[in-house]
Amino acid sequence: MTVQRQTKQLQAIRDTFEQAGRPLSIDELHGLASKELDSLGLRTVYRAVRRLQEDGVIASVSALGQSDRYELESIAAKHHHHFHCKACDRFFDIHGCPGGLNKLIPKGFKLENHDLTLSGLCVSCAS
Ligand SMILES: [Zn+2]
Ligand SMILES: [Zn+2]
C-alpha cells in the first residue's frame, strides 16, 4: 500500500468521526467511510483505527457489554457521558454531568472517576 493511499484512508476515517459527531463502532465507521472512499475494507478500517489510537487522535469509549466504540480524543478529553439507543444501537454524546456522586458511595470510600451511559430511544427511533 502506498503511503499516499494510507494517508487518504486515515484522513477519511478522521473526517467520518468529525462529520458523525458521536462515538462510532468499527462497523459504523466502515459503512460511513466507504461512502467517501470506495474499496475500503473492514481490515483497513481496523488498521486505521489502531493507528489513530496510537497517534492519540481517537480514543476508545468504555461502554459495558457493548462492542467497542471510538471517539475523537479532543472530545474524549472533556468530561462527558453517553446515551445508547437500544433500537438502532447508536451512541450519542451527552454534555451534562449530574455530579454530586460522592453522596452515593459508602462512607470512607474515595471516588476517583465515573462512567455514565444512559439508554433508551434516540429521537429518530422514539418517533
Ligand atoms: Zn435510535
Ligand atoms: Zn460525569
Side-chain angles (χ1 to χ4, degrees), residues 25-125:
S25 66
I26 297 276
D27 282 343
E28 285 178 313
L29 261 179
H30 182 231
L32 294 167
S34 314
K35 286 179 199 154
E36 253 188 86
L37 209 67
D38 43 314
S39 74
L40 190 67
L42 198 55
R43 274 180 46 204
T44 307
V45 176
Y46 269 106
R47 211 165 21 210
V49 163
R50 205 175 335 134
R51 172 73 189 278
L52 289 171
Q53 256 188 302
E54 282 165 10
D55 291 351
V57 176
I58 60 171
S60 65
V61 176
S62 52
L64 238 60
Q66 298 292 336
S67 66
D68 287 353
R69 298 298 201 288
Y70 301 88
E71 64 190 355
L72 289 170
E73 180 58 44
S74 55
I75 306 233
K78 289 184 211 117
H79 183 76
H80 71 287
H81 297 295
H82 296 108
F83 185 97
H84 176 229
C85 175
K86 289 157 96 175
C88 65
D89 200 29
R90 287 185 297 175
F91 275 80
F92 300 88
D93 288 336
I94 293 176
H95 298 287
C97 174
L101 297 172
N102 263 312
K103 294 197 294 273
L104 303 177
I105 59 168
K107 199 171 178 332
F109 282 44
K110 191 169 170 284
L111 182 69
E112 293 191 335
N113 50 50
H114 65 267
D115 291 322
L116 191 64
T117 303
L118 306 181
S119 65
L121 298 174
C122 75
V123 65
S124 27
C125 295

